[in-house]
Amino acid sequence: MIFRRLAERSKQNSRREINHITVRSPRILRPLTLALVADLHDGPFEEVLPAMEGCDAILIVGDLVDRHSRGYQRGVRFLEAAPRVAPTFYAIGNHERKHPLRAEYWPHVERSRVTVLDDAFVPFEGIVLGGLSSKKEWRQAPDFLADMAARPEFRLLMCHHPEYFRKLIKPWDIDLTVSGHAHGGQVRIGSQGVYSPDQWLLPRLTSGFYEDDRLLVSRGMTNATWAPRINCKCELIILHLEAENGQGT
């Protein structure tokens, strides 16, 4: 069973928060700290890069670029900067898949020191990291999820779309799935978001933990739509993984 707590929030500036979240599990053998970068959308990142220093890894949870702007220069700069801070892993979101300049952008990804997890998983520092990629339509879960779920280590899956969870991920023994895409619901009334891509009005999965703490959704690092954010600040999540007793070994 996974236990979690929301630790103290600290505001980086008026646009973003840095939120520390702790997850505990008996499958975690040593403490790890991971920076979750969701929905950067080719936005600025330099002011929060220092918050990632000291992390064991940086996880790009999709949509590093913005297909509507036709640009990718800041995304490329992040691909250059992040691995100098910590090992960096990249899961594919809908903006990577649909970007009109994908043929120009993707060689930059391949030349970078970032590990792309495109429907794949790798062992890392005593856990297993996986990436389930954005697809136009998934008819059934990809085969790698069964192989990943069979591993004895703590299994952490990056999947940009939280709405994939029930259909594709929930049946498998994946300890934690981290997502973005929902932009926190754009406008939040209490804990309820108003709108998000693919969940539309009054979305269910927008920010924080769901599905018995097996799904963690980031509000994302940049506002990338025409709609304003109200009571819904962008965020960088710093995820702390600890053994169930909080100590690690």
Side-chain angles (χ1 to χ4, degrees):
M1 182 176 182
I2 300 173
F3 298 90
R4 52 88 173 174
R5 61 178 171 84
L6 298 184
E8 181 182 357
R9 290 182 174 180
S10 60
K11 294 181 180 179
Q12 178 73 10
N13 54 38
S14 61
R15 293 182 298 111
R16 288 183 182 138
E17 293 177 340
I18 299 174
N19 293 327
H20 291 260
I21 295 177
T22 299
V23 169
R24 296 190 176 101
S25 168
R27 287 176 174 156
I28 297 169
L29 302 181
R30 55 168 294 243
L32 291 174
T33 302
L34 311 173
L36 306 186
V37 177
D39 298 285
L40 187 61
H41 287 293
D42 206 47
F45 61 86
E46 290 80 4
E47 77 278 9
V48 294
L49 201 61
M52 303 180 201
E53 293 179 0
C55 288
D56 295 290
I58 296 170
L59 308 185
I60 305 171
V61 193
D63 286 8
L64 184 64
V65 291
D66 184 353
R67 68 187 179 95
H68 300 299
S69 72
R70 299 184 65 86
Y72 54 78
Q73 289 76 18
R74 284 173 171 159
V76 170
R77 290 205 298 272
F78 188 83
L79 292 173
E80 296 169 349
R84 293 197 287 266
V85 175
T88 303
F89 300 86
Y90 191 174
I92 296 171
N94 54 297
H95 280 251
E96 282 84 12
R97 179 169 58 85
K98 297 179 180 179
H99 202 291
L101 299 179
R102 176 184 167 86
E104 293 180 15
Y105 168 65
W106 204 248
H108 292 280
V109 178
E110 293 174 334
R111 289 194 295 268
S112 75
R113 293 190 291 122
V114 169
T115 299
V116 176
L117 296 176
D118 181 8
D119 298 338
F121 66 89
V122 294
F124 175 76
E125 297 294 336
I127 68 171
V128 174
L129 290 174
L132 174 59
S133 297
S134 173
K135 294 285 192 298
K136 184 175 182 181
E137 183 178 0
W138 277 108
R139 296 187 182 277
Q140 62 183 23
D143 293 339
F144 88 95
L145 285 178
D147 295 333
M148 181 176 173
R151 295 290 294 248
E153 305 97 324
F154 183 85
R155 283 87 65 165
L156 192 156
L157 179 68
M158 293 183 286
C159 175
H160 183 67
H161 298 261
E163 67 274 12
Y164 285 5
F165 183 85
R166 284 194 169 180
K167 179 179 179 181
L168 301 177
I169 303 167
K170 188 173 183 176
W172 302 105
D173 190 10
I174 303 297
D175 296 287
L176 180 65
T177 298
V178 293
S179 297
H181 191 56
H183 304 162
Q186 292 293 142
V187 175
R188 295 184 70 80
I189 302 172
S191 61
Q192 178 62 59
V194 171
Y195 169 86
S196 70
D198 293 314
Q199 296 183 71
W200 315 121
L201 292 176
L202 301 179
R204 189 178 69 88
L205 309 170
T206 58
S207 177
F209 283 94
Y210 302 91
E211 299 289 347
D212 296 324
D213 294 351
R214 293 179 61 201
L215 173 64
L216 173 61
V217 183
S218 169
R219 297 196 303 270
M221 290 187 62
T222 302
N223 189 36
T225 73
W226 56 268
R229 285 192 182 225
I230 300 174
N231 195 32
C232 181
K233 287 185 177 171
C234 300
E235 68 176 347
L236 168 68
I237 292 178
I238 304 296
L239 178 63
H240 303 274
L241 301 183
E242 297 181 356
E244 200 165 39
N245 62 7
Q247 300 298 318
T249 59

